Amino acid sequence: MKNEYMKATALAPSNIAFIKYWGKKNEDLRLPVNGSISMNLSNLLTTTTVEFDPDYKKDDVIFINDDLDHSVGEKRIITHLDRIRSRAQIKVKAKVVSKNNFPSGTGLSSSASGFAALTLAASRAAGLHLFEKELTILARLGSGSACRSIPDGFTEWLSGNSSETSYAISIYPPDYWDIVDIVAIVSDDKKEVSSTEGQKLADSSAFASLRFSKINNKIKFLKQYLRVKNFTKFGELVEAEALEMHAIMMTSIPSLLYIMPESLKIMHLVKKWRTEGYEVYFTLNTGQDIHLICQEKNRGKIYQLLSEISEVKQIIVNKPSKGARLLNEHLF
Ligand code: PMV
């Protein structure tokens, strides 16, 4: 006899980190060297349905709209299902169907939204009712940045020194500040080195220890600028932080070059637009697609400027968003 609770669907946003996570102090537990701060994104979304069913002979993972190589591989998903099964003390196999409304593997953090949605859907389908903190810990074990996609709005991942103390919290709700993240998609090309693999090289950069020695101070300043809503100071710090993370990537051994010519062109233009009076800052993760952060009042102008660039294939406008949530409608 099948139980209704064995099927659940969750929707989760991707997030953009203002203070980045790049480097782990414990590989297996995905404990980051430093804490990080991000904002959930209203228009970069993963929807995932999980069903545990005694009739299934093996785990089956299907990605809709994404037949290409994706950063969230099947093996990693099954390992995550195993974590949840062991927690729920069940052995039943599952069917997982997942869809993104944006391209994966191009720097838009599909593993964050993917593992946040999978964690919520699978734990509920397995009959678990976990508190938010526990969900963030579980999501972190799937993909570090996924823990920040569970709570609402602006979130902080506390680095911690054990699995129980490394979790994410909401520091401000989505409507706290009307800033906008405008994503420019410049190519469908998948990154050659995944974040998981790339992160293992962080310590090989000669600048890593310098970065880590100053990062807590940076977190303090970013939180202060958020608290007083000083957009200029906030934007300058966010942009400098993205460049610093890429400096670590570029100077690791072997080096990692995620910034592509199209991204670089936009980075230069952002600096030019600022001199023309349009306040906007860039940030980017592992991949060529780039995020532009501005205030709501400048959203229309930045959108127009971006749409005039021939390399820009698609523009996605994001507001601060709620975190992962359950849906009543299933994908199958
Ligand atoms: O969670 P992962 O393994 O996909 O790593 C995310 C790394 C960055 O996106 C580059 C930084 C961040 O904090 O999101």
Side-chain angles (χ1 to χ4, degrees):
M1 163 106 168
K2 291 179 193 172
N3 292 320
E4 223 349 83
Y5 72 76
M6 294 191 94
K7 187 171 191 176
T9 299
L11 174 75
S14 178
N15 65 72
I16 182 65
F18 301 135
I19 298 288
K20 312 281 190 187
Y21 147 60
W22 194 254
K24 285 173 249 193
K25 59 188 175 212
N26 182 315
E27 194 60 43
D28 293 340
L29 293 177
R30 288 184 196 271
L31 297 183
V33 175
N34 57 274
S36 49
I37 295 177
S38 66
M39 176 180 108
N40 284 325
L41 302 171
S42 60
N43 260 324
L44 296 184
L45 302 166
T46 299
T47 308
T48 301
T49 298
V50 179
E51 181 179 44
F52 290 101
D53 189 326
D55 290 346
Y56 294 144
K57 298 281 171 284
K58 64 175 193 54
D59 291 318
D60 192 13
V61 180
I62 297 161
F63 293 89
I64 304 175
N65 305 342
D66 194 4
D67 51 0
L68 301 158
D69 179 27
H70 33 73
S71 45
V72 182
E74 186 177 80
K75 194 164 161 278
R76 242 170 105 187
I77 291 176
I78 293 175
T79 305
H80 204 56
L81 291 173
D82 286 339
R83 283 185 192 108
I84 289 160
R85 275 189 282 252
S86 116
R87 181 83 177 246
Q89 298 188 319
I90 58 169
K91 289 201 160 53
V92 192
K93 297 292 180 199
K95 177 171 175 181
V96 177
V97 176
S98 191
K99 72 166 192 213
N100 291 339
N101 72 341
F102 64 99
S104 64
T106 64
L108 300 178
S109 306
S110 54
S111 68
S113 51
F115 275 99
L118 179 68
T119 302
L120 182 57
S123 59
R124 187 54 70 93
L128 296 168
H129 288 262
L130 302 174
F131 288 118
E132 180 179 278
K133 178 179 170 183
E134 293 176 277
L135 283 169
T136 75
I137 291 171
L138 253 181
R140 186 204 79 230
L141 291 164
S143 182
S145 55
C147 70
R148 298 188 311 239
S149 286
I150 300 275
D152 288 343
F154 297 80
T155 72
E156 179 173 13
W157 175 8
L158 307 161
S159 60
N161 47 27
S162 62
S163 200
E164 282 63 45
T165 53
S166 188
Y167 59 94
I169 54 170
S170 174
I171 49 176
Y172 294 108
D175 62 0
Y176 173 70
W177 202 11
D178 59 352
I179 59 174
V180 183
D181 175 327
I182 307 181
V183 165
I185 295 183
V186 293
S187 143
D188 291 337
D189 290 351
K190 306 285 171 185
K191 55 191 162 200
E192 281 168 15
V193 183
S194 70
S195 299
T196 300
E197 287 310 306
Q199 295 230 13
K200 292 181 186 159
L201 303 174
D203 273 337
S204 68
S205 163
F207 305 110
S209 53
L210 181 63
R211 166 171 168 77
F212 295 141
S213 71
K214 292 178 179 284
I215 196 80
N216 284 339
N217 224 24
K218 230 184 189 183
I219 292 175
K220 201 177 83 194
F221 278 115
L222 189 103
K223 285 170 88 169
Q224 187 187 320
Y225 302 150
L226 260 178
R227 191 173 64 246
V228 299
K229 298 184 185 166
N230 183 332
F231 185 70
T232 301
K233 291 271 188 213
F234 169 79
E236 285 172 357
L237 188 60
V238 166
E239 195 173 286
E241 165 64 355
L243 290 169
E244 184 176 291
M245 179 182 71
H246 281 272
I248 299 291
M249 293 163 165
M250 286 185 216
T251 53
S252 66
I253 304 167
S255 64
L256 294 166
L257 257 185
Y258 289 112
I259 298 176
M260 299 303 268
E262 301 88 347
S263 346
L264 197 55
K265 176 172 175 178
I266 297 172
M267 290 158 82
H268 282 286
L269 282 170
V270 164
K271 282 174 172 266
K272 180 169 158 278
W273 296 338
R274 280 208 295 271
T275 65
E276 293 166 358
Y278 304 113
E279 197 172 16
V280 53
Y281 300 89
F282 63 76
T283 179
L284 68 178
N285 290 335
T286 46
Q288 65 278 9
D289 291 338
I290 180 161
H291 297 252
L292 304 196
I293 313 286
C294 67
Q295 289 161 294
E296 176 61 34
K297 63 179 183 195
N298 283 325
R299 172 229 283 239
K301 185 67 194 174
I302 302 303
Y303 189 99
Q304 183 215 320
L305 288 167
L306 267 181
S307 53
E308 287 163 5
I309 302 171
S310 60
E311 288 85 351
V312 174
K313 308 265 184 288
Q314 195 189 340
I315 303 172
I316 302 176
V317 179
N318 296 283
K319 294 177 173 193
S321 142
K322 286 171 76 171
R325 62 217 101 124
L326 290 164
L327 298 182
N328 290 327
E329 267 183 41
H330 302 306
L331 291 178
F332 65 94

